[in-house]
Amino acid sequence: MERMPLNKVFTLMESGPVVLVTTNNGEKSNIMTITWTMVMDFTPRFAITTGRWNYSYAALQASEECVIAIPAVDLIDQVIGIGTCSGADTDKFKKFGLTPIQASHVSAPLIQECLANIECRVIDIIEDHNIIVLEAIDAYLNSSREENRAFHAIGDGTFVADGQKFDRRVMMRSKLPDGV
């Protein structure tokens, strides 16, 4: 085995799906790209990592709500563009050709072009680690999309898309919650 520099170790574990997080500050909606996500358990709880360096953070902290939108790989260039400009001076929906849709329970919009949208409420902010814990309150799938592959950031400017699926549900049955 070869030693790996510790400053690159995160690239071994970063590969959760790239998501878009929408917020609304009471005046306008914004989108930020997040590559650091975590499923908390078998309940609809998730965590994202973000902080004051992101323009959307103030709206997320004040409103205590957001939408997690999961884009497909055909949106990769828009998603990267969203993550490399600021909502302080850019209408990201307009610039990247994305359609905001009124959510049912939160003021942040859904994104029509995404594979799925999850309306969330903030249930905890762990400021020392820039972790926002979210609880899903509603969710939507976009079954009309032709491209359904989510994609994942490696952390070094490269990405991978979902590929072959391996079904081991029978082997895993004892560990899966009812209905999954």
Side-chain angles (χ1 to χ4, degrees):
M1 290 201 183
E2 298 175 33
R3 285 202 182 271
M4 181 174 191
L6 290 178
N7 67 340
K8 293 184 180 183
V9 169
F10 73 95
T11 66
L12 298 173
M13 295 183 58
E14 183 173 322
S15 62
V18 174
V19 300
L20 296 172
V21 175
T22 67
T23 56
N24 184 291
N25 66 6
E27 295 177 16
K28 73 175 191 172
S29 295
N30 191 41
I31 315 169
M32 66 177 155
T33 300
I34 298 286
T35 62
W36 295 331
T37 61
M38 179 175 65
V39 173
M40 301 292 289
D41 53 32
F42 288 116
T43 65
R45 289 194 182 123
F46 311 98
I48 60 173
T49 300
T50 188
R52 298 184 192 289
W53 62 86
N54 275 326
Y55 174 75
S56 291
Y57 181 78
L60 181 63
Q61 188 176 39
S63 69
E64 296 184 327
E65 61 183 33
C66 66
V67 169
I68 297 175
I70 303 171
V73 70
D74 60 339
L75 296 174
I76 190 170
D77 292 336
Q78 289 100 313
V79 170
I80 292 169
I82 288 165
T84 57
C85 67
S86 175
D89 55 18
T90 306
D91 178 341
K92 295 183 187 184
F93 284 97
K94 185 176 179 181
K95 180 171 181 166
F96 297 102
L98 297 174
T99 310
I101 296 177
Q102 178 65 49
S104 297
H105 307 283
V106 300
S107 59
L110 311 176
I111 300 176
Q112 173 66 46
E113 292 77 10
C114 285
L115 293 169
N117 286 269
I118 307 166
E119 292 185 53
C120 298
R121 294 216 192 281
V122 174
I123 59 172
D124 198 4
I125 298 177
I126 306 164
E127 290 193 28
D128 285 350
H129 301 287
N130 301 308
I131 295 172
I132 312 294
V133 181
L134 304 168
E135 185 167 47
I137 55 174
D138 215 342
Y140 313 86
L141 292 173
N142 185 348
S143 58
S144 67
R145 291 195 103 260
E146 288 185 33
E147 176 60 76
N148 324 331
R149 294 176 298 151
F151 63 101
H152 311 268
I154 302 302
D156 61 358
T158 63
F159 299 81
V160 295
D162 289 344
Q164 184 176 358
K165 189 173 184 176
F166 300 93
D167 185 345
R168 297 296 185 270
R169 284 181 254 182
V170 172
M171 290 176 68
M172 295 291 301
R173 188 167 318 280
S174 67
K175 299 294 182 187
L176 299 175
D178 291 337
V180 173

